[in-house]
Amino acid sequence: MRDFDENNITAAVIDRYQNTPDPRLKKIMTSLVQHLHDFVRDVELTEAEWTHAIDYLTRTGKLCTDKRQEFILLSDTLGVSMLVDAINHRFAEGATESTVMGPFYVQNPPEAAFGADIRGEAKGEPLYIDGSILSEDGKPVANAIVDVWHSDAEGFYDVQLPELEEPTLRARFHSDAQGRFRFWTIMPRYYPIPYDGTVGDMLKASARHPYRPAHVHFMIIAGGHETLVTHVFVDGDQYLDSDAVFAVKNSLIRDFTREAPGIAPDGKKIDTPWRKLQTNFVLSKVMAKKSAPAA
Ligand code: BEZ
Ligand code: FE
């Protein structure tokens, strides 16, 4: 067939995927071509805009290294990461909701004991976090891996501060026989996602801000359960309703209570005001894996 025009070219391109052996790939390519062509027709893309888009994607790719993933950040700021998260983590009723991982997780964080202080040299308002890991049936989950990471009081992660020699404000805990974990840290702050690249250009051009509300990240891994990647957000933060990556869920917002100087629950004496977070995580039991639908 020849003489493709703006109306018949889509069917012709889709037809070229007829013999794709993998049915899932066939479905994805067919839908991608359909939606991409519909988009181009919908906005009547100009050649200058097409060139700009190619240049934008090229610059985005060039920014990617083993330390920076501008494409994931683009996916985050377009809401695609949260959409993929929602589709892939339809947990059991009552299980804690998931949210994006973000770029600041570091594999194999330092192991920390029950009740440890993970502040290192970071300065800020002391925060005591006390939680339990439960299964969807309410039973405690012992020996779960509880990875934690968060920003400092100025909104920076340790990996953004080259002067820090040790991992700070990140650790790996293991829940005890009753499913509990405890630790001391400092209050996190809201912060901007990296906006000195192409994602920042897009945000600025669209009059969007780059901020995320203050939160603490958790990744919880336990045998027989779905891995949970989530955050706990600080109630009252000014960016809860405009998170740059659309990751806030009401069920993940917590009251980080203000406490007066005195004796903390672990018997520690504190001379300054401090904050306390009590938070449980409910894990979904392992769910049956979806097999690829037939084409
Ligand atoms: C974060 O919370 O660490 C994060 C998530 C998505 C994009 C940038 C940062
Ligand atoms: Fe974060």
Side-chain angles (χ1 to χ4, degrees), residues 68-126:
R68 178 169 186 156
Q69 233 304 345
E70 197 75 0
F71 277 116
I72 296 185
L73 209 53
L74 187 57
S75 160
D76 294 343
T77 50
L78 292 176
V80 175
S81 304
M82 278 309 290
L83 183 55
V84 173
D85 182 74
I87 290 167
N88 285 275
H89 298 112
R90 295 183 181 121
F91 290 156
E93 184 76 25
T96 303
E97 292 191 278
S98 58
T99 193
V100 284
M101 172 80 114
F104 300 122
Y105 179 70
V106 176
Q107 297 286 341
N108 302 315
E111 297 269 347
F114 189 91
D117 188 331
I118 65 166
R119 278 179 282 189
E121 287 167 32
K123 303 267 177 295
E125 198 176 6

Side-chain angles (χ1 to χ4, degrees), residues 44-56:
E44 300 222 331
L45 201 68
T46 67
E47 287 179 312
E49 287 160 347
W50 178 86
T51 304
H52 183 85
I54 298 291
D55 176 59
Y56 182 86

Side-chain angles (χ1 to χ4, degrees), residues 4 10 23 47 52 73 96 101-102 159 230 245 259 265 273 276 293:
F4 300 116
T10 305
E47 287 179 312
H52 183 85
L73 209 53
T96 303
M101 172 80 114
V159 290
T230 195
V245 300
E259 308 291 334
K276 188 169 73 176

Side-chain angles (χ1 to χ4, degrees), residues 61-70:
K62 285 184 177 165
L63 283 171
C64 295
T65 64
D66 57 346
K67 297 215 161 47
R68 178 169 186 156
Q69 233 304 345
E70 197 75 0

Side-chain angles (χ1 to χ4, degrees), residues 104-106 109-110 118 148-149 157-159 167-172:
F104 300 122
Y105 179 70
V106 176
I118 65 166
V148 179
W149 67 106
Y157 284 80
D158 57 356
V159 290
T168 307
L169 308 180
R170 70 175 69 242
R172 169 166 292 173

